[in-house]
Amino acid sequence: MKILILFLLVSSSFASTIEIMSYNVENLFDAQKDEGKNDWAYLPKNTKGKKEACAKVKSKYRRNECFDADWTQEKVDMKLSQIKDVILKERKKLPGILVLSEIENANVIGQLAKVLGYKRYYTSNSPDYRGVDLAVLFNESSDLKYVGSKEHVLKDEYFKKRPSRNIFETQFKLKGKDLYIFANHWPSLGNPDHARVVAAKTLKTRIDEILKKNTKASVVAVGDFNTIPELKAADNKHPMRDVLLKDKTIVDVEKTFRADKSLSSKKKLPPGTYFYKRGGQWNHLDRVFVPKTMLDEKAPISLVLGSYQIYAPDFIREPQPATVVEEDIEEMRDRGFKLYEQKKIETPPNRYDHLAKKKQKAGFSDHFPIVFELKY
């Protein structure tokens, strides 16, 4: 009995960890019409009104894509299977918390949760005109308890005409300690830089509110931030440098990891999470941000910096190395982009082909997932 008690006392002193994965799954839509949303490209060809709606698409490329796509339940099931492969084929375990961007709704996430083995999931309900949203999936345990979710709408004159994705906040209790997860999918690079500055201000304001009320709260902001170093808004602000990270209370985990040579020298990461083929440019659109205090191992919940990785196994990469055309390099340079000089580059994500009929041809996503652990 004394030995058992001693074992329990010793084992309880060891810290536990929970793994978090953030992944832009590239247009995970169901095969049903969402009223009021422009989801025509992700519907069966025989859907009433699809032909007429596709004909109104201004972009020739997108118009043909809309006409050609026959997005049936069979196609949905195949995409769900591909996502399952990314998460479980080589890793063999579910993340404790899975955060997804570029999903349509609770219906398709419910299907994915069943395929993966998650019992709990929540999705945002943004005003985005395509119906693109965010999701958080998890299984409650004796340590992880769900508290609630809320959405933060991006408010600005610009968004009255072109609404975007909300910032999705989910609160947990991790062994009694407050943990807030923010899922992000900021306005795309097709929007003016100012739109992302508004998103950065919205996120930073809410994080500051939380930490003001509870200085020991743990906050993790993940997702697709659609921000590159070259961005500079009309008001001369960069969403990361001049807003989110300005007061240095929040840190960019990827940059912190790469700056730590004792870690980065042992774990080689891809040059980025997303690759622009035109010009051959990698970027870190997908990121993790935490309060600086969470890098302290003595924090109630700390981020294990050495666990950070851009998850890029060979099977989710393009089968052949991408090449760069010299004319594209010059054009991108003229536009102010910093480029990798080599003609051949590390193999990028094998993006999903929504027209594919077989898994072998379907691909996975145009983004790599990010994975890391929290210690508590």
Side-chain angles (χ1 to χ4, degrees):
M1 180 62 71
K2 289 182 179 180
I3 295 175
L4 176 60
I5 294 173
L6 180 61
F7 171 78
L8 292 173
L9 288 173
V10 172
S11 62
S12 64
S13 66
F14 287 104
S16 300
T17 59
I18 183 171
E19 183 183 63
I20 297 178
M21 175 183 281
S22 173
Y23 190 23
N24 180 323
V25 290
E26 191 181 4
N27 291 320
L28 175 58
F29 280 71
D30 64 16
Q32 300 175 27
K33 184 74 186 82
D34 270 15
E35 292 305 318
K37 300 297 183 180
N38 185 12
D39 59 351
W40 294 103
Y42 299 98
L43 294 170
K45 273 192 173 183
N46 62 2
T47 301
K48 183 179 180 180
K50 175 168 179 168
K51 185 176 180 181
E52 294 77 10
C54 292
K56 296 178 182 179
V57 177
K58 294 180 180 179
S59 165
K60 182 180 179 180
Y61 174 81
R62 294 299 179 189
R63 185 166 60 251
N64 290 337
E65 180 184 61
C66 186
F67 278 128
D68 293 341
D70 187 19
W71 193 243
T72 61
Q73 184 59 47
E74 183 181 9
K75 296 278 189 69
V76 175
D77 292 341
M78 185 167 69
K79 184 163 178 65
L80 297 177
S81 177
Q82 295 294 80
I83 295 172
K84 180 179 180 180
D85 281 353
V86 174
I87 296 171
L88 291 173
K89 184 176 180 179
E90 292 189 357
R91 291 164 25 83
K92 307 299 184 185
K93 66 173 183 176
L94 285 173
I97 299 174
L98 176 63
V99 181
L100 301 179
S101 55
E102 215 163 287
I103 63 97
E104 185 182 23
N105 52 32
N107 178 38
V108 75
I109 289 301
Q111 295 177 53
L112 178 62
K114 186 175 181 180
V115 168
L116 292 176
Y118 283 110
K119 293 183 173 62
R120 301 289 298 273
Y121 58 89
Y122 292 89
T123 62
S124 61
N125 186 19
S126 302
D128 179 84
Y129 76 101
R130 291 180 59 230
V132 173
D133 269 297
L134 299 132
V136 176
L137 300 88
F138 59 94
N139 287 325
E140 282 194 314
S141 66
S142 57
D143 286 355
L144 184 69
K145 301 296 182 183
Y146 172 77
V147 177
S149 300
K150 61 177 66 175
E151 301 184 49
H152 303 282
V153 182
L154 303 186
K155 296 179 180 179
D156 185 80
E157 284 299 317
Y158 175 77
F159 294 115
K160 290 181 180 180
K161 295 182 179 179
R162 189 166 181 173
S164 187
R165 278 82 56 175
N166 298 340
I167 294 174
F168 189 43
E169 173 187 337
T170 305
Q171 183 182 358
F172 296 94
K173 287 285 187 180
L174 187 57
K175 207 158 189 179
K177 305 175 181 73
D178 288 320
L179 172 63
Y180 295 83
I181 303 291
F182 286 87
N184 296 263
H185 189 186
W186 289 6
S188 72
L189 291 165
N191 295 275
D193 301 340
H194 172 73
R196 285 169 290 279
V197 170
V198 173
K201 288 180 178 178
T202 303
L203 176 61
K204 184 64 164 64
T205 298
R206 177 54 185 154
I207 291 176
D208 287 346
E209 287 176 355
I210 292 171
L211 296 179
K212 185 176 181 180
K213 290 182 180 179
N214 179 5
T215 57
K216 294 184 178 181
S218 300
V219 179
V220 178
V222 296
D224 180 357
F225 292 87
N226 271 320
T227 300
I228 58 178
E230 291 79 10
L231 292 182
K232 197 170 188 180
D235 56 7
N236 206 36
K237 287 185 178 179
H238 186 279
M240 303 297 190
R241 182 184 62 247
D242 301 319
V243 181
L244 193 60
L245 306 175
K246 184 178 180 180
D247 63 5
K248 299 183 180 179
T249 60
I250 296 174
V251 296
D252 181 334
V253 172
E254 184 268 335
K255 284 189 174 181
T256 306
F257 176 89
R258 290 186 188 268
D260 189 331
K261 300 303 179 185
S262 66
L263 296 174
S264 58
S265 62
K266 297 176 182 177
K267 184 188 292 183
K268 185 178 181 296
L269 300 182
T273 61
Y274 184 89
F275 179 71
Y276 292 97
K277 283 190 176 180
R278 186 175 185 181
Q281 185 190 33
W282 285 91
N283 269 302
H284 296 277
L285 300 186
D286 308 89
R287 292 178 179 266
V288 183
F289 297 97
V290 297
K292 188 177 182 179
T293 54
M294 284 186 65
L295 295 183
D296 185 346
E297 292 184 358
K298 296 180 181 179
I301 300 175
S302 62
L303 185 140
V304 183
L305 191 60
S307 69
Y308 174 81
Q309 67 171 313
I310 298 171
Y311 184 61
D314 288 342
F315 79 92
I316 69 171
R317 294 171 176 262
E318 281 194 358
Q320 297 294 327
T323 58
V324 188
V325 179
E326 188 65 37
E327 290 78 7
D328 289 340
I329 290 179
E330 292 304 319
E331 179 185 345
M332 295 298 283
R333 252 197 222 104
D334 291 342
R335 292 170 58 195
F337 286 87
K338 296 177 181 178
L339 305 174
Y340 285 82
E341 298 295 333
Q342 59 266 41
K343 295 292 182 65
K344 288 189 176 182
I345 59 177
E346 190 166 349
T347 311
N350 186 9
R351 68 178 305 158
Y352 198 84
D353 180 0
H354 290 79
L355 302 180
K357 297 180 179 180
K358 296 182 179 180
K359 277 175 64 73
Q360 294 83 353
K361 300 289 186 180
F364 298 90
S365 171
D366 53 355
H367 290 247
F368 288 141
I370 286 176
V371 181
F372 57 96
E373 293 180 352
L374 301 179
K375 185 173 71 174
Y376 62 96

